[in-house]
């Protein structure tokens, strides 16, 4: 469930009551209308809980309101540190987090969100010393894990079982063949991003969403053209370089521009 400005209904009413129970100041009028006062109360709660302060009551905020731990979740301070390091406004990094991230970096089983790519496994097996014929032989025996073509996805936590099975074939190639965390950075980027080993990268992805952001920041820093596009707020260029040619069809550049403006206005109003 995600509630935001201008939403109405019973869920908003419950949100307002819960915020009041947790000390909203000023107290909210529980009227089921998500107005600016409710948005400010959500921001104040997010600040206290150490979350990203965006005024949107999404799954993480809802979980925190219910008393669940936020110890491994991304916070506003993490975004500010990333913005300072990249030399861009905080609103830029908040826009990237809102548009380019998965929203949640850990699955229900507590493991980092992943997507295992069997066609990448076919490639990485060869990078890690197997011949093309050997990779094809594994593909014939394990088509769900190794293939020349994408696919075979099962989604959610079951992707970890695919990864576990692939690791039995070749540990490093399997870890390199999954995308990891909030920003779904591919494991095979580990060396270009300055990690010691594939295992070092994946172990860090299991620690905290701040590590997911760290990998994303390193990815941007490693691509001067991508970094330059972000600094210049050339959203179409950034989206093209990060998301590929499908960026326009998915409106990533439009979403980034809108999110930047919204966060800029909100941060200015809160200053």
């Amino acid at each position: 469930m995600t509630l935001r400005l201008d939403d109405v209904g019973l869920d908003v009413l419950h949100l307002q009551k819960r915020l009041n129970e947790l000390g909203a100041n000023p107290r909210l009028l529980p009227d089921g209308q998500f107005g600016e006062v409710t948005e400010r109360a959500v921001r104040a709660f997010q600040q206290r809980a150490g979350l990203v302060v965006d005024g949107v009551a999404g799954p993480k905020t809802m979980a925190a309101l219910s008393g669940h731990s936020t110890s491994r979740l991304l916070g506003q301070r993490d975004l500010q540190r990333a913005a300072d390091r990249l030399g861009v406004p905080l609103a830029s990094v908040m826009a990237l987090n809102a548009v380019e991230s998965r929203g949640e970096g850990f699955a229900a089983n507590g493991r980092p969100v992943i997507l295992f790519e069997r066609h990448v496994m076919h490639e990485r097996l060869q990078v890690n010393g197997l011949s093309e014929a050997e990779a094809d032989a594994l593909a014939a025996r394990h088509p769900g894990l190794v293939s020349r073509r994408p696919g075979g996805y099962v989604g959610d936590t079951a992707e970890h079982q695919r990864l576990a099975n692939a690791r039995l074939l070749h540990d490093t190639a399997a870890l390199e063949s999954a995308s990891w965390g909030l920003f779904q950075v591919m494991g095979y980027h580990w060396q270009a991003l300055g990690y010691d080993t594939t295992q070092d990268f994946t172990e860090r992805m299991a620690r905290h969403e701040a590590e997911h952001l760290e990998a994303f920041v390193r990815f941007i820093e490693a691509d001067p053209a991508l970094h330059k596009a972000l600094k210049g707020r050339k959203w179409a260029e950034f989206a093209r370089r990060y998301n590929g040619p499908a960026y326009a069809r998915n409106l990533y550049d439009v979403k980034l521009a809108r999110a930047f403006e919204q966060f800029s206005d909100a941060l200015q109003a809160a200053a």
Side-chain angles (χ1 to χ4, degrees):
M1 180 187 302
T2 297
L3 300 173
R4 51 171 49 88
L5 189 66
D6 296 330
D7 283 345
V8 297
L10 191 59
D11 290 328
V12 176
L13 177 65
H14 292 322
L15 169 65
Q16 292 168 325
K17 289 182 176 180
R18 183 57 177 159
L19 288 167
N20 280 340
E21 290 171 1
L22 296 175
N25 184 23
R27 287 182 63 81
L28 301 172
L29 173 64
D31 58 3
Q33 299 183 40
F34 198 129
E36 292 183 359
V37 177
T38 299
E39 185 181 51
R40 287 198 296 272
V42 170
R43 290 179 184 277
F45 172 77
Q46 291 169 331
Q47 186 72 49
R48 295 198 305 272
L51 299 172
V52 171
V53 182
D54 59 8
V56 176
K60 293 178 183 179
T61 298
M62 292 298 194
L65 284 165
S66 297
H68 294 286
S69 173
T70 61
S71 61
R72 291 203 296 170
L73 302 183
L74 198 65
Q76 194 76 354
R77 287 179 294 181
D78 300 313
L79 298 183
Q80 183 64 68
R81 283 193 289 266
D84 293 342
R85 181 165 153 187
L86 291 169
V88 299
L90 174 58
S92 291
V93 178
M94 293 184 72
L96 293 179
N97 181 55
V99 175
E100 299 289 3
S101 86
R102 290 284 298 267
E104 295 182 84
F106 291 96
N109 60 5
R111 296 177 180 178
V113 172
I114 68 165
L115 192 65
F116 181 77
E117 301 284 4
R118 67 183 187 182
H119 66 293
V120 177
M121 180 71 170
H122 188 275
E123 297 170 0
R124 300 312 295 179
L125 285 169
Q126 296 172 70
V127 172
N128 283 281
L130 274 69
S131 68
E132 184 176 5
E134 288 172 321
D136 285 338
L138 285 174
R141 293 197 299 271
H142 307 281
L145 304 177
V146 185
S147 176
R148 289 178 177 270
R149 296 183 299 176
Y153 309 113
V154 291
D156 298 327
T157 57
E159 288 294 321
H160 275 281
Q161 186 57 56
R162 292 181 72 211
L163 175 61
N165 292 337
R167 293 182 73 175
L168 297 176
L169 304 179
H170 194 292
D171 187 65
T172 296
L175 294 174
E176 291 178 341
S177 301
S179 56
W180 294 81
L182 273 174
F183 299 95
Q184 290 294 280
V185 175
M186 290 298 302
Y188 64 75
H189 288 303
W190 65 268
Q191 191 168 23
L193 301 186
Y195 293 93
D196 293 336
T197 61
T198 314
Q199 289 75 13
D200 173 43
F201 169 77
T202 56
E203 286 169 6
R204 291 193 188 197
M205 294 304 100
R207 295 177 189 172
H208 197 287
E209 286 184 348
E211 292 285 358
H212 304 175
L213 179 61
E214 168 68 19
F216 185 49
V217 169
R218 292 190 188 194
F219 188 91
I220 295 171
E221 290 175 328
D223 185 336
L226 186 67
H227 195 176
K228 181 179 179 180
L230 178 62
K231 283 186 171 183
R233 297 197 283 280
K234 306 295 185 182
W235 299 119
E237 178 67 6
F238 182 91
R240 183 183 68 80
R241 289 185 171 276
Y242 187 67
N243 297 292
Y247 83 91
R249 183 170 66 250
N250 294 310
L251 300 178
Y252 284 119
D253 57 327
V254 175
K255 293 174 182 176
L256 285 166
R258 288 176 178 171
F260 174 78
E261 294 300 331
Q262 290 169 356
F263 289 125
S264 293
D265 291 346
L267 290 168
Q268 186 174 4

